[in-house]
Amino acid sequence: MSLYDSSFPQMARMLGQVPTWFDKAQAHAEQKKYDPEVLLTARLAPDQWNFRRQIQNVISWPLRLSALLVGAEPPALQTGDETIAELRARIGKTLEQVNALKPEQFQGAGDRMIPLFFMPGKGMKAPDFVFQFALPNFYFHATTAYSILRHNGIDVGKIDYIGPIAIRDL
């Protein structure tokens, strides 16, 4: 399986679930009569990033990874005070960009060394970077964002996290 096949379709799938989380959060806020924007600053622990920052990371990872795998400069992580509407718009734009990626763009990426921004002068082979760093980080932030909503009483379930599954008759 190529680095493309093992990462981008799954990242797009997960990113595509986030609007469902927002829908449920907004419905809960309406029912309980509070501003859903307050959820953006919710966190699980004082030393963890808030919901907004978790979502910003989920949005950023697919495009950052695609750039790194082709040897381009990755886009900067956006960490401003975005609203739910602004995050939704970024999710839509990012999904369009990820869905436009083609497997052939990543031919030879497996041989690339990915420099580690947090350890100057160090890097990882692309497959190691994808499987040991990029995908775990992407899913960590997605899971943490989902958990923040659950912690705040939002009725999101496992299927809201994983999305529809392709069940077939035997």
Side-chain angles (χ1 to χ4, degrees):
M1 184 178 282
S2 72
L3 291 178
Y4 169 87
D5 291 327
S6 61
S7 54
F8 297 107
Q10 291 303 315
M11 292 172 107
R13 179 181 165 84
M14 177 61 60
L15 189 58
Q17 288 306 111
V18 177
T20 299
W21 307 350
F22 282 137
D23 292 344
K24 289 195 168 200
Q26 288 184 286
H28 183 268
E30 287 172 15
Q31 178 190 9
K32 298 289 184 179
K33 301 194 183 333
Y34 69 87
D35 182 358
E37 297 289 324
V38 301
L39 293 168
L40 294 173
T41 59
R43 60 184 73 224
L44 292 177
D47 64 343
Q48 276 192 319
W49 287 340
N50 62 34
F51 179 73
R52 176 188 290 121
R53 185 79 181 268
Q54 302 293 345
I55 294 297
Q56 289 168 333
N57 270 269
V58 171
I59 294 168
S60 295
W61 263 111
L63 299 180
R64 292 181 60 77
L65 179 59
S66 67
L68 290 167
L69 288 178
V70 299
E73 184 68 28
L77 178 63
Q78 292 179 289
T79 59
D81 287 338
E82 294 171 288
T83 65
I84 291 173
E86 291 167 332
L87 289 169
R88 280 180 181 271
R90 275 189 56 213
I91 289 165
K93 182 178 177 185
T94 299
L95 272 171
E96 286 177 15
Q97 291 173 290
V98 172
N99 289 331
L101 296 173
K102 303 290 181 228
E104 53 272 12
Q105 293 174 254
F106 301 94
Q107 286 183 340
D111 298 324
R112 185 174 301 284
M113 281 292 286
I114 306 295
L116 300 177
F117 64 90
F118 56 91
M119 294 179 76
K122 301 288 183 188
M124 297 175 77
K125 292 282 286 179
D128 294 331
F129 182 81
V130 168
F131 297 115
Q132 297 173 16
F133 191 76
L135 289 176
N137 269 284
F138 174 79
Y139 284 111
F140 172 84
H141 293 293
T143 301
T144 303
Y146 169 89
S147 296
I148 289 169
L149 294 180
R150 286 290 305 245
H151 179 74
N152 280 276
I154 311 307
D155 186 23
V156 286
K158 187 182 285 189
I159 204 70
D160 297 315
Y161 181 82
I162 63 174
I165 53 177
I167 296 173
R168 307 272 193 267
D169 291 332
L170 297 177

